[in-house]
Amino acid sequence: FVRKEVIDILYDLVKREGKAVILSSHITSDLEKTADRILYLVDGAVVVDNGVNRIRSDFAETLSKAPKDVLLEDVLFHLMAR
């Protein structure tokens, strides 16, 4: 419950007040709801830096899914398996 409240507050800061927020999380569903831009780090190196829809498009073929069906969690697990 508290996590949802924090996400709602962050969303309001970004959408209503135009604030930039840096959020570090492994809960990709929260990121899909709130983030305009996602960075994935693997061993300290940035391996993905893009918007959610672009990431879905970029990984759709690799994950054998339609872009609309690609979850950020799918991408994260794919990158971690490399």
Side-chain angles (χ1 to χ4, degrees):
F1 183 74
V2 172
R3 189 180 100 243
K4 183 183 177 334
E5 286 181 10
V6 170
I7 293 301
D8 289 345
I9 290 167
L10 292 174
Y11 185 82
D12 285 344
L13 282 171
V14 170
K15 298 300 178 188
R16 291 187 193 167
E17 298 184 30
K19 303 288 184 187
V21 174
I22 297 173
L23 176 66
S24 175
S25 178
H26 288 92
I27 304 172
T28 56
S29 59
D30 290 344
L31 299 175
E32 285 180 298
K33 293 175 195 168
T34 59
D36 293 326
R37 181 174 159 201
I38 304 285
L39 277 82
Y40 281 116
L41 302 174
V42 175
D43 295 327
V46 175
V47 295
V48 173
D49 177 359
N50 229 316
V52 174
N53 289 333
R54 180 59 190 249
I55 291 170
R56 286 183 175 134
S57 295
D58 289 351
F59 282 87
E61 185 175 337
T62 301
L63 298 173
S64 301
K65 294 184 174 191
K68 66 178 181 59
D69 296 328
V70 173
L71 302 175
L72 292 180
E73 181 177 56
D74 300 331
V75 175
L76 177 62
F77 289 145
H78 174 77
L79 293 170
M80 290 172 48
R82 286 186 183 179

